[in-house]
Amino acid sequence: MTATSSGTYNMPMSTAIPNGRREAKVERRITAICLILLVLFWRWLWGDCWSPINPSCATAPQHADNVQHYYAWAAYSRGTLSTWLPPRFSNWTWPQEVPLIFGDTIPIASILLAPIARVSGHSTQYFSFVSLVNFVCSYLCGAWIGRHFNLRAYSAAFIGIAMALSPVAIYRASGHEALSLHAIIIFAIALTIKRIRSLPAWSALIFVALGTHAYYFPIVFSLGVFSQLACDESDIQCRQSAMHSGVKRLSILVAITILSLLVYGYIPNSAELDPGGGTWSANIFALLDSQSHSFIAKPLDRIDPYQWEGFSYLGWLGITALILSAGAIICSVNNGHNDHQAIFPRPRCYWTLITLFAVFSLGNTWFIGSHKVIEVSDDLPLINHMFSTFRATGRFMWPMYYSILLWGMLSAMRSTRVPKSLTIFFALLLLESHVPMALFIRQDFASHYREGQEWQQRLDSNQDPLINTLKNAQLFLNLTGDPRFETDSLPSFIPQAINPTIATNYKPYLARMPQNFSDLNSGKPCELAMMMLKRAGGSFQQDRIYGILPEKEANECRHIVDISSKQSLIAKDPTAVYAIRQQPG
């Protein structure tokens, strides 16, 4: 061995190269094994719902996120009332066009896969596929972070597994595939940890974030801006670059953001918001609340249903890693041996930013358990507008969850003298929250599949004239004059469940309601019928247009609109479904 000027020793080249090759070979082998295990886990988790050509898990006449997302995707990809860029459709608010983001599907996936779906002509879903992509990308990001700090291959792989199988991401897989793509958050944190300021990398991530779900954008954009400006004290080159080109770099990120907003249809856009309304928040104890997804920890008291969005349970893995890391840092400082590079650049600034997200996640009313602590005044227009724009504020606790988990595991693993034992110990702790969550979601998928199969059998065997009418209809109109009209005999999601490509204005089930929808569908039934039929023009076959009208108004409209084929809904229901068309001449 040869001594260097810093007092460390270099191994002879003949020894270092074989060791390096051996380590790389071990790393590749571990990566391959972990990826195979993730694919097997994904297949087990999704059960009968895994196949992209079998959408049974999302076909049912009920108000559920996964059902809404599938029918929005089906209407966009297989219907004729949609545009590619920006992705818009009018199937649920006909004739008013709305961005696909109101349907809560994943815009970037819909844009790329819609042409394939149209050519194939088959009922398909991409939700299981993006879930697998999330597992793989999350693992690679976690392992990438571990390798950055020169952890052993198995320790880096474990961090990848902990990121890939994050319970807070799996929790959303069966109900909201876009919100389960936490690899976007993990990748943003990874770029920050590795001090990567590359504009192409951050621009691409912003583009993907907005193309997945709007809630990812503030997180990614804020971390991108932070990464452009935050440099370690010792990185003189970075500090000079940030000082001289900071404005230019930020301008490019803003330009990419505006372009992405245009591409995906966020702007120009108008939606009905709820200023000052309640938010789906996180509880102050969100990081400690297992919400029954633990073998050991009991769920904490909270307000339902408004605080389940903030599920960010650290589990015994996160809590133990945090305690061990804090202890290791205190010991190293006392002994004067704290020579590790900080995990995050400008740690105080980084944690301030993450804390701001956590505070916002608490919503406009803060709770400790079920006890109200603070309520934000309605006199704060900017803050309340943010709350009404991002109603599910609890999701902004996720950056805190991942930051704490990564900091705890990395700090503990860098400080230990027994890395293999610590990794095994962490793996055992991981089971405490991950296994109950996986079992819960697998059961949820199985329930979705049964519901979908039962509904399909009901459709195939049903001889109900109303169901057959909706199967045949191209356009089904609410002509009552009440834009929010709904009858018990025709629940709001029935038309889409019977006929996924139907055009209708009947009680749309969307994440956001178009601002002018109410005005367009309000008025006297006869006048509304005339206006809608004129708009329909030659877009639909005349014998495949149906509308729902009160019986009294239907009789009054016969002199201006051709109304026939009455189909009563239920005996006591004052409305009925009619075949309608314009009077000849």
Side-chain angles (χ1 to χ4, degrees):
M1 293 187 293
T2 58
T4 66
S5 58
S6 61
T8 60
Y9 291 88
N10 291 329
M11 293 294 293
M13 188 65 67
S14 59
T15 304
I17 291 178
N19 286 343
R21 289 176 178 171
R22 190 179 302 115
E23 181 70 19
K25 185 177 181 180
V26 169
E27 185 177 315
R28 287 194 298 270
R29 186 176 299 169
I30 291 176
T31 298
I33 292 172
C34 288
L35 291 177
I36 291 172
L37 291 175
L38 284 175
V39 172
L40 294 175
F41 172 80
W42 165 79
R43 176 64 181 83
W44 170 84
L45 183 72
W46 280 79
D48 292 321
C49 299
W50 75 273
S51 175
I53 61 174
N54 183 0
S56 293
C57 281
T59 54
Q62 62 186 18
H63 288 182
D65 284 346
N66 64 315
V67 174
Q68 173 200 354
H69 304 168
Y70 169 71
Y71 287 127
W73 153 248
Y76 176 74
S77 62
R78 293 163 49 203
T80 58
L81 304 175
S82 57
T83 58
W84 194 57
L85 284 176
R88 295 176 176 271
F89 72 136
S90 59
N91 293 68
W92 296 359
T93 54
W94 191 89
Q96 188 172 2
E97 194 177 59
V98 296
L100 187 61
I101 54 175
F102 285 5
D104 248 1
T105 63
I106 303 176
I108 190 169
S110 298
I111 291 171
L112 294 175
L113 298 176
I116 300 175
R118 291 187 185 183
V119 170
S120 68
H122 293 292
S123 299
T124 58
Q125 55 87 8
Y126 56 78
F127 309 151
S128 59
F129 171 73
V130 297
S131 177
L132 178 60
V133 170
N134 182 67
F135 284 158
V136 172
C137 291
S138 296
Y139 170 81
L140 295 176
C141 279
W144 188 38
I145 293 171
R147 291 195 298 270
H148 175 70
F149 290 104
N150 297 318
L151 297 182
R152 299 289 181 89
Y154 50 80
S155 296
F158 174 77
I159 291 178
I161 291 292
M163 295 295 100
L165 304 185
S166 158
V168 300
I170 293 177
Y171 188 55
R172 304 311 309 236
S174 67
H176 204 308
E177 68 288 342
L179 291 177
S180 72
L181 290 175
H182 284 205
I184 292 172
I185 299 175
I186 299 168
F187 193 66
I189 294 175
L191 291 179
T192 305
I193 287 175
K194 290 174 67 66
R195 281 68 168 171
I196 294 177
R197 303 172 66 236
S198 166
L199 283 173
W202 281 106
S203 297
L205 192 58
I206 288 173
F207 186 79
V208 171
L210 279 168
T212 303
H213 201 277
Y215 280 81
Y216 291 125
F217 167 68
I219 300 169
V220 172
F221 184 80
S222 298
L223 288 174
V225 171
F226 174 80
S227 294
Q228 302 306 313
L229 302 178
C231 301
D232 291 322
E233 292 287 347
S234 59
D235 195 340
I236 298 175
Q237 183 178 358
C238 174
R239 293 171 64 188
Q240 290 176 343
S241 174
M243 185 181 301
H244 294 302
S245 62
V247 174
K248 179 181 177 182
R249 286 175 167 272
L250 296 184
S251 298
I252 293 175
L253 292 183
V254 170
I256 292 296
T257 297
I258 294 173
L259 176 63
S260 301
L261 292 170
L262 289 168
V263 167
Y264 295 123
Y266 289 89
I267 54 174
N269 191 4
S270 62
E272 294 179 1
L273 300 179
D274 184 20
T279 56
W280 294 347
S281 62
N283 197 287
I284 290 177
F285 289 150
L287 294 169
L288 304 176
D289 185 6
S290 69
Q291 296 193 18
S292 300
H293 302 298
S294 168
F295 286 125
I296 304 170
K298 300 297 182 182
L300 303 178
D301 197 14
R302 69 182 192 277
I303 302 296
D304 284 326
Y306 298 106
Q307 291 181 337
W308 58 269
E309 284 283 0
F311 180 69
S312 303
Y313 178 50
L314 284 170
W316 287 112
L317 170 61
I319 295 169
T320 304
L322 191 61
I323 294 171
L324 291 177
S325 300
I329 289 175
I330 292 172
C331 291
S332 63
V333 169
N334 291 337
N335 295 330
H337 297 307
N338 187 24
D339 55 354
H340 284 311
Q341 178 193 26
I343 291 174
F344 301 105
R346 295 286 186 173
R348 291 181 182 177
C349 295
Y350 178 84
W351 286 109
T352 298
L353 173 62
I354 297 302
T355 300
L356 289 175
F357 279 122
V359 170
F360 184 72
S361 76
L362 301 178
N364 54 9
T365 305
W366 295 12
F367 287 89
I368 294 180
S370 60
H371 302 288
K372 185 188 297 184
V373 179
I374 298 174
E375 187 167 0
V376 177
S377 171
D378 290 338
D379 297 331
L380 301 173
L382 177 61
I383 298 298
N384 278 313
H385 184 75
M386 292 174 63
F387 282 138
S388 60
T389 300
F390 297 101
R391 293 175 302 186
T393 59
R395 298 166 185 172
F396 290 103
M397 185 64 79
W398 294 336
M400 178 64 81
Y401 165 83
Y402 284 108
S403 296
I404 289 178
L405 195 63
L406 283 168
W407 182 85
M409 290 191 297
L410 288 169
S411 297
M413 288 176 170
R414 288 199 299 170
S415 302
T416 184
R417 295 181 179 178
V418 285
K420 184 175 293 186
S421 299
L422 183 61
T423 301
I424 295 172
F425 178 58
F426 278 169
L428 294 175
L429 293 177
L430 178 143
L431 301 177
E432 178 264 343
S433 57
H434 289 58
V435 171
M437 175 58 69
L439 291 172
F440 172 78
I441 296 301
R442 176 176 164 80
Q443 292 171 1
D444 209 32
F445 277 127
S447 175
H448 291 335
Y449 185 77
R450 286 194 301 272
E451 292 168 354
Q453 289 289 296
E454 290 170 1
W455 171 245
Q456 193 57 53
Q457 290 172 7
R458 180 180 165 189
L459 278 183
D460 293 341
S461 61
N462 201 300
Q463 300 301 316
D464 186 331
L466 180 57
I467 289 182
N468 291 329
T469 293
L470 290 174
K471 281 183 179 180
N472 177 66
Q474 289 184 346
L475 178 61
F476 177 66
L477 295 169
N478 166 23
L479 301 173
T480 64
D482 177 6
R484 299 188 182 278
F485 172 81
E486 181 179 4
T487 175
D488 292 339
S489 51
L490 194 64
S492 63
F493 224 49
I494 280 283
Q496 290 87 350
I498 295 173
N499 184 351
T501 61
I502 195 171
T504 183
N505 63 344
Y506 182 75
K507 193 65 183 296
Y509 183 56
L510 293 163
R512 296 289 186 189
M513 191 61 64
Q515 203 162 46
N516 299 325
F517 179 80
S518 296
D519 294 337
L520 183 67
N521 291 279
S522 300
K524 296 180 179 179
C526 297
E527 295 175 359
L528 192 59
M530 280 291 293
M531 183 267 291
M532 289 294 186
L533 287 173
K534 286 182 180 180
R535 284 178 177 259
S539 302
F540 304 95
Q541 295 180 28
Q542 285 291 303
D543 60 347
R544 299 180 70 178
I545 300 176
Y546 298 85
I548 185 168
L549 275 163
E551 294 188 31
K552 178 182 177 182
E553 280 76 1
N555 292 326
E556 294 175 355
C557 296
R558 291 184 188 277
H559 68 285
I560 58 174
V561 179
D562 185 3
I563 296 179
S564 61
S565 304
K566 173 184 173 182
Q567 294 181 17
S568 298
L569 297 175
I570 55 177
K572 295 182 180 180
D573 199 323
T575 59
V577 173
Y578 301 88
I580 62 171
R581 56 189 56 84
Q582 287 182 284
Q583 291 278 17

